[in-house]
Amino acid sequence: MNQEQKQQIATDTADGIYEAYPNLWERFGDKGYEHTVKDNHHHLDYLETAWELQSEQSFLDYAIWLETVLVSRNVETALIIDNFKRLIEIVPRYTETMQGDFMLDCLDRAVRLLELPQHKRS
């Protein structure tokens, strides 16, 4: 993905989240929206790194770390899961088949992991 594609993915994902959860505007405002776009750039960067390393585990480790950070900032795990599910829908439009399939697997596994209670994640 090039930077323009990443920006489009990040913006589309943030737009979808804020449209689905309009209370986020009240909770976090414009800065929250901007952070959501930036966070999606980070998600995409980590997906690309996982692809380059051929390591789904590196993305799963990132997802767990991300949850820790965002929950400490009053962002529910359900919103992270929702974000990843939106990326599952959008990313294939911007990737080649093998890379896209790998990234979708990473995102799907991260969603399933985050849906587990914390004590069952090891």
Side-chain angles (χ1 to χ4, degrees):
M1 287 176 274
N2 62 40
Q3 288 304 316
E4 185 177 306
Q5 291 170 319
K6 284 183 183 180
Q7 182 61 36
Q8 189 65 52
I9 294 168
T11 302
D12 288 352
T13 304
D15 288 348
I17 291 168
Y18 272 73
E19 184 177 312
Y21 305 97
N23 67 319
L24 294 177
W25 288 111
E26 296 165 15
R27 285 177 61 194
F28 302 111
D30 288 340
K31 282 193 177 220
Y33 175 84
E34 291 169 16
H35 280 290
T36 303
V37 172
K38 286 180 189 175
D39 286 347
N40 275 283
H41 277 280
H42 294 305
H43 306 338
L44 296 169
D45 289 343
Y46 273 89
L47 284 168
E48 284 184 328
T49 298
W51 164 251
E52 290 167 10
L53 298 172
Q54 288 297 293
S55 170
E56 287 184 359
Q57 188 61 49
S58 64
F59 188 77
L60 297 178
D61 292 343
Y62 164 73
I64 295 300
W65 170 84
L66 175 70
E67 179 189 36
T68 303
V69 171
L70 292 183
V71 167
S72 75
R73 296 178 182 159
N74 297 316
V75 175
E76 301 84 9
T77 301
L79 283 174
I80 302 166
I81 292 169
D82 181 276
N83 193 131
F84 285 174
K85 286 180 176 180
R86 290 175 192 279
L87 287 173
I88 288 169
E89 296 297 318
I90 297 171
V91 165
R93 298 180 216 153
Y94 297 93
T95 56
E96 294 183 25
T97 304
M98 285 181 60
Q99 182 183 32
D101 289 348
F102 178 88
M103 291 179 174
L104 293 181
D105 287 343
C106 288
L107 288 162
D108 182 62
R109 286 188 62 198
V111 165
R112 288 186 282 127
L113 180 64
L114 293 174
E115 288 175 335
L116 289 173
Q118 286 191 1
H119 67 278
K120 292 189 176 186
R121 292 184 183 175
S122 354

